Amino acid sequence: MQATRSRISVLAIASLLCTGCGQGLRGGSPPGGASPAAATSNCFNTEETALMNQVNATRTAAGKPALPFDTRLIRAARQDARQFPATGVKDFEFGGKYGYGGTSFVGGADTGFSSAADFWVQEQRTAGTGISDPLTKDTPFVPRHIGVGNVDQSYALVLGADPGPAMSDGSCDPA
């Protein structure tokens, strides 16, 4: 049996006053109408693809559109997955370091899992409404993009609400 795991789940919600933005926060698909999972095949490893598919299956089962990946959030999630075993993610990265804007984020990271499915079950159980409400109810914010990371047996997930389009090109590896 695995030893008790350290875990972190972070919910950071802020509001930004924006006069004349007019873009709102709405779900969307990757450029070109590709499905979010298909668009990740060149960027994600097998476990990251499985995790994103599981997260989006939870979202679409609730009647919400699947979230497109954003390479800035992938880099953030991979950074969180890499640092979690060593530091417990003292400074959770929501993508700002990689140019991801927006005002609302939710994320979680944990280590010691043999699969993405095991991580996702635990994340839903321990994060509760901190993850489920934005993902399935679009409250307290409407997520627009997703990033997931897997390094060895560590996983991380970041949902963000940057009102701009998803970035689907560029590196997925944090610098």
Side-chain angles (χ1 to χ4, degrees):
M1 197 85 199
Q2 285 180 288
T4 304
R5 295 181 203 108
S6 296
R7 127 159 256 308
I8 188 170
S9 181
V10 181
L11 175 62
I13 301 170
S15 71
L16 176 68
L17 296 175
C18 179
T19 305
C21 289
Q23 293 184 13
L25 299 175
R26 43 187 196 279
S29 298
S35 74
T40 65
S41 61
N42 293 329
C43 188
F44 280 18
N45 67 38
T46 302
E47 286 298 302
E48 290 168 335
T49 300
L51 178 56
M52 191 167 92
N53 287 342
Q54 291 166 13
V55 172
N56 272 327
T58 301
R59 184 162 169 81
T60 58
K64 303 297 180 185
L67 298 171
F69 77 96
D70 188 294
T71 56
R72 298 166 295 184
L73 294 181
I74 295 168
R75 290 192 300 263
R78 284 185 179 172
Q79 175 182 319
D80 294 335
R82 283 184 182 150
Q83 72 176 355
F84 190 85
T87 67
V89 188
K90 293 179 181 169
D91 296 309
F92 202 87
E93 173 58 55
F94 286 114
K97 175 179 176 180
Y98 304 108
Y100 189 85
T103 60
S104 302
F105 304 89
V106 65
D110 205 345
T111 193
F113 295 95
S114 59
S115 71
D118 291 343
F119 168 76
W120 184 231
V121 167
Q122 181 67 16
E123 182 66 16
Q124 291 176 93
R125 185 179 311 132
T126 57
T129 59
I131 289 286
S132 67
D133 282 0
L135 191 62
T136 63
K137 298 178 183 176
D138 287 344
T139 185
F141 71 96
V142 179
R144 291 185 33 86
H145 311 113
I146 186 174
V148 297
N150 163 245
V151 178
D152 298 322
Q153 293 184 320
S154 296
Y155 292 84
L157 160 72
V158 180
L159 303 176
D162 184 319
M167 183 176 283
S168 60
D169 58 353
S171 173
C172 288
D173 291 319

